[in-house]
Amino acid sequence: SRYYFQGGLAPQAVGYTLSISPEQLNEYRRKGYSGSERIGQSGIEKWAEDYLAGQHGGILRIVGPNGAIISTLGQTAAEPADSIYLTLDSNMQKYAQRSIEFFRGAVVVMEVDTGRILAIASSPDFDPNYFEGNNPNAGGTYLLPEGALLNRATQGQYPLGSVFKIITMSAALESGLWIKDTP
């Protein structure tokens, strides 16, 4: 199980887990899963599933009709999960989410010098704890707001606005018909 603090900061970016679906079962069985695990279905949870799940261990043996082990063909030791560290600033993330809470939109706060993402919010959002029935943070009935699973910051399609002015200005300067001081 994974528990998401404070109702899940950056839920569209972090993602959520679900049980392995029947359509995914063969793929994950080949990776060593038994089929009863929960796996990342979106966001960082999905991208980092291989890191967050660790390495499943196992032994491949030949067993006789009476149940006696005849030989061991292979063995792999289980390895614990790795940790994933994000550059998100939890305080800034909380305020970014709050600032667009009643709107449809997105906020991305990036550190210009390093490119680190300090906050990435999309609204409406959701509480990823509700995807885990045994999670004590998931109390009551929860209706997912329409469009809540869409990460507007990374998946939204927006028309170019003032940013496009840079392109037209560059083309005008390159043409030689305008100079930088032309009104």
Side-chain angles (χ1 to χ4, degrees), residues 155-167:
Q155 298 170 316
Q157 295 182 4
Y158 304 101
L160 292 176
S162 294
V163 175
F164 195 73
K165 292 176 185 173
I166 297 169
I167 296 168

Side-chain angles (χ1 to χ4, degrees), residues 24-99:
Q24 298 168 315
L25 188 57
N26 286 334
E27 173 190 349
Y28 281 95
R29 282 226 168 118
R30 283 190 293 261
K31 294 180 179 181
Y33 290 71
S34 69
S36 62
E37 298 90 347
R38 296 179 64 83
I39 58 168
Q41 294 291 342
S42 74
I44 300 293
E45 291 281 12
K46 182 176 182 178
W47 173 83
E49 177 63 31
D50 293 341
Y51 300 104
L52 295 171
Q55 178 67 39
H56 294 76
I59 301 173
L60 180 60
R61 295 181 173 148
I62 298 176
V63 180
N66 62 356
I69 297 171
I70 297 173
S71 69
T72 299
L73 299 176
Q75 183 172 345
T76 304
E79 294 180 19
D82 291 326
S83 296
I84 300 294
Y85 298 96
L86 304 178
T87 60
L88 297 177
D89 177 300
S90 62
N91 197 39
M92 192 173 296
Q93 179 65 38
K94 184 173 25 171
Y95 285 113
Q97 283 180 219
R98 258 192 222 155
S99 71

Side-chain angles (χ1 to χ4, degrees), residues 13 40 53 63 94 101 107 110-111 114 118 125 133 135 149 151 177:
V63 180
K94 184 173 25 171
E101 186 174 0
V107 172
M110 182 174 79
E111 196 172 74
T114 64
L118 302 177
D125 65 3
N135 187 331
L149 297 179
N151 185 345
L177 299 174

